[in-house]
Amino acid sequence: MTGTMNAQPIDRPTAESYATWFKALSDRTRIQILNLLALAIEPMSVGEIVNRVGVGQSTVSHHLKLLADARFVLRERRGTSMLYSINVACVACFPSAADAVMGRPAVST
């Protein structure tokens, strides 16, 4: 027996959300950007992220859009700049998603 008695099958909408999350994390640049934002004290501009990650502005902007669409990253407009920060609530849910996919019961807090 490989399943866990308390685990529940994942419904289709939840599976779609989880797939979006996993896809968003399937690129090394996106992983670097998430890590950078997770370590940052303040939200960062695209230019600041470009300087730290070492890839072009259009590439960073593309990856930030994908991360924001997956809700890993929050966007905040300040004047003419768009600032990015980690979405702590979404990132905190990710380990539970991985457990659910693997058939482990959700951890109660």
Side-chain angles (χ1 to χ4, degrees):
M1 185 161 145
T2 59
T4 303
M5 290 179 61
N6 296 332
Q8 297 295 315
I10 297 171
D11 60 41
R12 198 81 176 145
T14 302
E16 187 173 334
S17 291
Y18 290 174
T20 300
W21 291 358
F22 289 116
K23 185 177 179 182
L25 296 177
S26 68
D27 183 271
R28 65 182 177 203
T29 301
R30 290 193 289 271
I31 295 291
Q32 284 183 289
I33 291 169
L34 273 179
N35 177 251
L36 179 63
L37 293 174
L39 297 174
I41 296 169
E42 295 287 326
M44 298 179 75
S45 69
V46 172
E48 292 171 315
I49 296 168
V50 166
N51 290 337
R52 300 284 299 276
V53 176
V55 296
Q57 184 272 329
S58 62
T59 300
V60 168
S61 293
H62 170 74
H63 287 304
L64 285 168
K65 182 191 178 324
L66 294 174
L67 290 169
D69 289 348
R71 298 183 310 266
F72 280 119
V73 168
L74 300 172
R75 296 179 253 206
E76 174 188 348
R77 182 163 298 282
R78 286 196 197 155
T80 60
S81 295
M82 188 66 76
L83 299 179
Y84 295 86
S85 60
I86 197 87
N87 181 352
V88 176
C90 185
V91 173
C93 292
F94 185 73
S96 297
D99 283 339
V101 169
M102 297 311 297
R104 296 184 198 116
V107 177
S108 328
T109 54

